[in-house]
Amino acid sequence: MNAAAATHQHTNCLRCGRTLRNPSPDGYGPKCRTKVRKAPVDLADYKAHQVASARELIEDGAIIPLRSVVFIAVSTDGTETYKTAPTACSCPAGVKGSRCYHQLAARMLLAA
Ligand SMILES: [Zn+2]
Ligand SMILES: [Zn+2]
């Protein structure tokens, strides 16, 4: 877990907005967490390490909904944040037009 996520206290579920009754490291209630993990996303375009990084980002609570399809993603070292959507991202890879794992995480969350 990265430092930025560890210090972030979630009081409401990031997906449905309901009050979290138990501490939640990723910011999801139990039902929403299950849905996010089983999100039907086509992973064929992504490498295994990108899929793992996207899942880790979600499980660290390091990708937070901003508005409609836009999310804020925290960089691995916790020092920067990126604006991420399913097909665009403001991270160094994303601005070059590469498919980054932030975009994948956004797709997973939207498909959940
Ligand atoms: Zn929820
Ligand atoms: Zn990115």
Side-chain angles (χ1 to χ4, degrees):
M1 173 175 293
N2 71 48
T7 55
H8 194 99
Q9 284 291 335
H10 298 283
T11 54
N12 293 81
C13 176
L14 288 175
R15 184 167 176 273
C16 69
R18 285 200 195 108
T19 307
L20 294 167
R21 272 184 246 137
N22 298 303
S24 171
D26 57 7
Y28 296 97
K31 282 186 187 164
C32 289
R33 180 177 302 121
T34 303
K35 284 193 177 167
V36 165
R37 287 195 179 157
K38 290 184 179 168
V41 172
D42 181 6
L43 301 172
D45 292 340
Y46 291 92
K47 298 185 177 80
H49 71 90
Q50 291 182 301
V51 175
S53 294
R55 295 225 156 101
E56 198 177 294
L57 193 69
I58 293 169
E59 281 171 25
D60 284 353
I63 178 162
I64 314 274
L66 180 64
R67 58 184 146 76
S68 68
V69 300
V70 182
F71 296 81
I72 296 289
V74 182
S75 65
T76 319
D77 61 7
T79 59
E80 288 186 70
T81 56
Y82 308 121
K83 269 192 190 172
T84 306
T87 55
C89 183
S90 67
C91 77
V95 294
K96 286 189 216 148
S98 302
R99 264 190 259 257
C100 61
Y101 70 88
H102 308 115
Q103 294 170 47
L104 176 58
R107 285 169 65 170
M108 286 175 172
L109 292 175
L110 290 168

